């Protein structure tokens, strides 16, 4: 059994945590035992993994921050953490190290210094463009394999493969069987949340952070509610320490000022570990993000038969265009977002067609076992490449 050290920098449960959770058992069957090494900063990521039996080690794990002054200070912290990361990698007896995002290059440097194969995952376009352009070629010097959630996300990291590293494409893992069972409890969950059984629920799921564009979603909700008062927007997610003040001040206050919360048109729900259960209430899934990869939540919604309205960011267009399961709109445009939502609300046959297409796409392309097999191939290639280098004395 070979050991993978999966470094996750963010404290709040998100895409990398979901990947670790869903793939642990399947990868173990394929001979890869994954341990998550994550930050000890406040958040629900580590606890949710541990509750589900995923091995976790929490350490002081600095990461680059936005803003020039914060970036400079955090860069010093990141660079000074490399000796400690080397020690952790050795203590955990890692046969391979995996990390997400070029902004976390220090993990790759530490792994290479420890003589361990390195896999870099590109899960989205969350890092600023200038950072992606400037850091990608540096990261390329230390990694053996690239894994990416789509060709668009890959293209947004220029020069990441200047050493001709292979690229393994994958879609985030989704437990389709469990989601189908949960989808049968729709009315029960609506009652639990106090929703009118006759209301049409427009749903989104994602951490309460600026990149999710929920301020734009609130503006679009105001337009939709004026025309179709039976629509309820449910925003599922979790607060993050860095952005809680921003979110309450910018997003929730705006919803209050528009009278949307008072009239029950918009509800903000901290879903936590109940996210999948609450996902069952949706009739339509919406993504208003300004940066993404392929959101796990979108694939989960599709697995429950929801049509999608999404901003055309990250690799989302690749999924929507191939699946024919939704409508794409430009980011930061509440008018276009509202128009697309209304188009599906007012055209049930079209919504039903997208729903059927979503189910077919997920059934054919999204699977935990398939995702694990891609990971195992990427891991195996990285290890073989490292062995070959050692034999050549490189």
């Amino acid at each position: 059994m070979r050991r993978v050290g999966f470094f996750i920098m963010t404290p709040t449960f998100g895409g990398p945590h979901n990947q670790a959770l869903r793939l642990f058992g399947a990868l173990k069957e394929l001979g890869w035992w994954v341990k998550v090494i994550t930050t000890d900063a406040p958040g629900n990521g580590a606890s949710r993994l541990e509750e589900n039996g995923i091995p976790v080690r929490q350490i002081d794990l600095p990461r680059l921050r936005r803003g020039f002054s914060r970036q400079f200070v955090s860069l010093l912290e990141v660079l000074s953490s490399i000796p400690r990361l080397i020690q952790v990698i050795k203590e955990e007896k890692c046969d391979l190290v995996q990390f997400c995002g070029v902004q976390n290059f220090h993990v790759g440097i530490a792994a290479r210094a420890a003589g361990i194969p390195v896999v870099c995952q590109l899960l989205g376009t969350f890092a600023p463009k200038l950072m992606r352009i400037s850091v990608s070629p540096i990261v390329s010097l230390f990694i053996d394999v690239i894994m990416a959630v789509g060709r668009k996300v890959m293209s947004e990291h220029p020069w990441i493969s200047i050493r001709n590293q292979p690229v393994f494409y994958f879609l985030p893992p989704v437990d389709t069987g469990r989601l189908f069972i949960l989808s049968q409890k729709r009315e029960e969950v609506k009652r639990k949340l106090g929703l009118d059984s006759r209301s049409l629920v427009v749903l989104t799921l994602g951490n309460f952070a600026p990149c999710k564009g929920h301020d734009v979603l609130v503006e679009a909700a105001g337009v939709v509610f004026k025309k179709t008062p039976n629509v309820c927007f449910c925003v599922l997610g979790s607060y993050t320490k860095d952005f809680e003040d921003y979110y309450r001040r910018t997003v929730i206050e705006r919803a209050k000022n528009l009278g949307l919360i008072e009239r029950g048109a918009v509800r903000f729900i901290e879903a936590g570990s109940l996210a999948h259960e609450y996902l069952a209430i949706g009739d339509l899934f919406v993504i208003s993000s300004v940066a993404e990869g392929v959101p796990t939540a979108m694939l989960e919604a599709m697995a429950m038969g929801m049509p999608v309205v999404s901003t055309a960011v990250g690799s989302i267009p690749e999924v929507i265009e191939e699946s024919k399961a939704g409508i794409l709109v430009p980011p930061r445009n509440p008018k276009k977002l509202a128009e697309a939502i209304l188009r599906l609300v007012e055209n049930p046959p079209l919504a039903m067609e997208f729903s059927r297409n979503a189910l077919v796409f997920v059934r054919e392309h999204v699977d935990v076992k398939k995702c694990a097999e891609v990971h195992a191939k990427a891991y195996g290639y990285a290890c073989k490449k490292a062995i070959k280098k050692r034999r050549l004395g490189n």
Side-chain angles (χ1 to χ4, degrees):
M1 187 72 67
R2 287 174 286 185
R3 299 170 65 93
V4 178
F6 185 4
F7 283 77
I8 300 180
M9 320 304 286
T10 51
T12 306
F13 194 92
H17 302 84
N18 178 75
Q19 182 187 135
L21 175 60
R22 301 294 165 211
L23 293 183
F24 180 79
L27 281 173
K28 190 174 180 181
E29 290 181 4
L30 295 171
W32 298 93
W33 187 82
V34 180
K35 183 168 185 176
V36 172
I37 302 166
T38 190
T39 175
D40 57 6
N44 65 353
S47 60
R48 284 185 60 180
L49 290 175
E50 289 174 330
E51 288 167 5
N52 286 276
I54 308 302
V56 175
R57 177 174 177 178
Q58 290 183 266
I59 62 172
D60 180 15
L61 197 55
R63 56 194 172 109
L64 286 181
R65 302 287 182 169
R66 291 175 181 267
F68 179 77
S69 59
R70 294 181 75 197
Q71 269 188 7
F72 180 75
V73 173
S74 62
L75 178 60
L76 295 178
E77 294 174 345
V78 158
L79 293 176
S80 64
S81 72
I82 292 175
R84 171 62 175 152
L85 294 180
I86 295 172
Q87 181 183 344
V88 169
I89 290 168
K90 290 180 177 179
E91 288 173 354
E92 295 298 336
K93 297 180 172 59
C94 296
D95 297 298
L96 179 137
V97 164
Q98 172 179 303
F99 71 97
C100 307
V102 293
Q103 66 272 29
N104 300 314
F105 61 88
H106 51 305
V107 176
I109 295 174
R112 179 47 52 90
I116 304 299
V118 187
V119 173
C120 175
Q121 289 197 333
L122 306 178
L123 301 183
T125 54
F126 304 106
K129 186 174 183 179
L130 181 59
M131 183 184 292
R132 283 185 268 117
I133 292 172
S134 58
V135 176
S136 289
I138 299 172
V139 172
S140 183
L141 300 176
F142 303 103
I143 61 176
D144 298 291
V145 165
I146 302 163
M147 299 187 70
V149 289
R151 285 168 173 76
K152 178 61 176 174
V153 166
M154 179 66 188
S155 71
E156 291 289 331
H157 294 79
W159 305 302
I160 186 69
S161 59
I162 56 174
R163 292 173 51 240
N164 295 316
Q165 293 96 330
V167 182
F168 292 80
Y169 292 102
F170 71 102
L171 290 173
V174 171
D175 187 347
T176 53
R178 179 169 176 265
L179 291 169
F180 176 77
I181 293 171
L182 288 174
S183 69
Q184 307 306 303
K185 300 180 179 181
R186 183 172 185 273
E187 295 305 320
E188 177 186 333
V189 179
K190 287 183 79 171
R191 286 194 299 272
K192 179 179 178 180
L193 292 174
L195 292 169
D196 190 326
S197 61
R198 296 166 296 180
S199 62
L200 190 149
V201 178
V202 177
L203 189 75
T204 193
L205 170 60
N207 289 326
F208 297 158
C211 67
K212 297 301 181 180
H214 291 166
D215 53 336
V216 173
L217 181 60
V218 165
E219 298 293 338
V223 175
V224 173
F225 186 70
K226 286 179 181 178
K227 295 189 176 183
T228 53
N230 69 316
V231 172
C232 176
F233 285 74
C234 288
V235 184
L236 308 180
S238 297
Y239 287 103
T240 62
K241 182 183 177 183
D242 290 345
F243 300 119
E244 183 170 354
D245 288 343
Y246 154 84
Y247 199 88
R248 292 186 184 279
R249 187 176 63 253
T250 304
V251 180
I252 295 180
E253 277 302 311
R254 181 56 177 161
K256 288 180 179 177
N257 292 339
L258 290 173
L260 297 174
I261 294 179
E262 181 184 357
R263 289 180 285 178
V266 174
R267 294 186 59 177
F268 296 93
I269 303 172
E270 291 189 74
S273 60
L274 297 175
H276 290 132
E277 180 182 338
Y278 291 169
L279 197 63
I281 65 176
D283 296 288
L284 168 63
F285 193 78
V286 176
I287 298 170
S288 51
S289 301
V290 296
E292 278 293 355
V294 174
T296 303
M298 180 185 76
L299 297 176
E300 290 171 337
M302 291 170 65
M304 288 184 164
M306 282 181 241
V308 176
V309 171
S310 175
T311 47
V313 293
S315 289
I316 293 174
E318 295 173 43
V319 173
I320 298 301
E321 289 166 4
E322 182 177 349
S323 67
K324 296 179 173 59
I327 300 172
L328 295 168
V329 298
R332 299 186 177 91
N333 193 323
K335 182 175 181 290
K336 292 291 186 183
L337 187 62
E339 289 174 353
I341 293 169
L342 284 168
R343 183 182 170 194
L344 292 184
V345 169
E346 296 170 351
N347 190 341
L350 179 61
M352 185 60 68
E353 179 185 341
F354 286 163
S355 173
R356 287 193 296 266
N357 292 344
L359 289 168
V360 170
F361 178 85
V362 170
R363 187 164 57 244
E364 293 180 352
H365 299 282
V366 182
D367 180 75
V368 170
K369 184 178 178 181
K370 288 179 182 177
C371 187
E373 288 171 350
V374 175
H375 278 69
K377 286 179 183 177
Y379 295 167
Y381 185 95
C383 289
K384 288 178 182 177
K385 188 175 181 181
I387 291 171
K388 184 177 180 181
K389 280 183 180 179
R390 285 196 290 268
R391 285 174 178 170
L392 294 173
N394 185 13

